[in-house]
Amino acid sequence: MGGPRARGARRGGSRDGGPYGGRGRRRRDFGEASAVDGDASSLSRAERGESPGDPVERARAICLRLLTGTPRTRKQLADALRKREIPDEAAQEVLSRFEEVGLIDDSAFADAWVESRHHGRGLARRALARELRTKGVDATLIDEAVGRLDADQEEATARELVARKLRSTRGLDRDKRLRRLAGMLARKGYSQGLALKVVRQALEEEGEDTDFLEDGEF
């Protein structure tokens, strides 16, 4: 994965409306739940359109259907096939073939996840890396994806989040405002140092006294 051929397939997929979408198309937010995983397990094999015969064909049909709704990592698809009792050998054959043709691309998945969840939900690099680990993405690919989100962009997003939340904290005492704003950033994966810096500056701009705060402490 990640070689020239795989990345070329990914770029081609984006232009042609492949599993990772093009820039001009509306892409489903990665935070939206997919009904496929929850519903398919409760349906009979016939209702799901799966053949009771060749396990490779069954695995291929399952993967294609799951990839229709939203991009998936290899691990997510492997887990889905295991739940449907597809033999490991058949599952690995199909998953490897899908990687070869670019239908599974964990590197592209990680890049798209970071873009979507950072701009859509305001998540910081730490939270994004944690989410990608739960999806089974390789640590090297995670580092590459979150590394494209630089510190300046992360800080700018933190400031936007605080600015949107600031109005709803007016009328509260200073300590409550601090805890509420800093807690919001912490839940989204921002470090304590960055959260303190951003919240402190926002409160100072509103005339709050923040001299009681020491650097690096809440």
Side-chain angles (χ1 to χ4, degrees):
M1 293 197 52
R5 176 184 51 74
R7 294 187 183 279
R10 180 170 74 249
R11 290 194 296 271
S14 296
R15 288 194 299 271
D16 298 334
Y20 300 95
R23 291 187 177 273
R25 297 166 60 91
R26 181 188 180 276
R27 186 170 53 208
R28 171 184 288 184
D29 184 83
F30 275 104
E32 295 179 25
S34 171
V36 176
D37 286 330
D39 294 343
S41 59
S42 64
L43 298 176
S44 70
R45 187 172 293 160
E47 288 172 319
R48 297 198 302 266
E50 296 173 17
S51 167
D54 185 359
V56 170
E57 289 304 318
R58 287 176 52 209
R60 183 179 293 113
I62 291 167
C63 288
L64 285 172
R65 186 174 58 254
L66 291 175
L67 289 168
T68 297
T70 188
R72 315 265 175 161
T73 65
R74 177 168 179 143
K75 182 180 184 300
Q76 286 177 305
L77 292 172
D79 289 345
L81 294 178
R82 192 173 300 112
K83 288 179 182 177
R84 290 158 176 79
E85 301 181 348
I86 300 295
D88 285 345
E89 185 176 348
Q92 294 308 313
E93 177 181 338
V94 170
L95 294 173
S96 294
R97 178 56 181 162
F98 274 38
E99 278 189 332
E100 289 176 6
V101 299
L103 289 174
I104 300 174
D105 188 335
D106 283 2
S107 178
F109 179 96
D111 289 345
W113 185 274
V114 168
E115 181 182 354
S116 172
R117 299 285 283 177
H118 179 72
H119 293 291
R121 305 296 177 90
L123 298 187
R125 287 174 290 187
R126 184 166 55 183
L128 293 165
R130 183 170 59 246
E131 289 187 340
L132 287 170
R133 282 194 295 271
T134 68
K135 306 296 181 185
V137 178
D138 181 78
T140 301
L141 298 180
I142 292 174
D143 289 343
E144 290 176 357
V146 300
R148 295 187 179 95
L149 178 61
D150 63 36
D152 290 341
Q153 178 60 56
E154 193 173 56
E155 181 173 333
T157 301
R159 293 185 186 283
E160 292 172 6
L161 291 169
V162 169
R164 291 202 296 265
K165 185 77 173 175
L166 200 62
R167 179 175 296 180
S168 68
T169 67
R170 288 171 186 159
L172 300 177
D173 66 56
R174 180 188 59 192
D175 291 348
K176 273 188 179 177
R177 296 188 81 187
L178 172 65
R179 287 195 298 270
R180 186 164 296 184
L181 294 168
M184 177 267 295
L185 291 179
R187 287 190 297 274
K188 291 181 179 291
Y190 292 89
S191 68
Q192 176 176 307
L194 178 59
L196 173 62
K197 174 184 175 182
V198 171
V199 172
R200 183 174 189 170
Q201 290 179 353
L203 293 177
E204 286 175 348
E205 288 172 2
E206 290 209 336
E208 291 276 14
D209 179 14
T210 62
D211 289 341
F212 72 101
L213 290 174
E214 295 183 11
D215 290 340
E217 295 183 2
F218 284 105

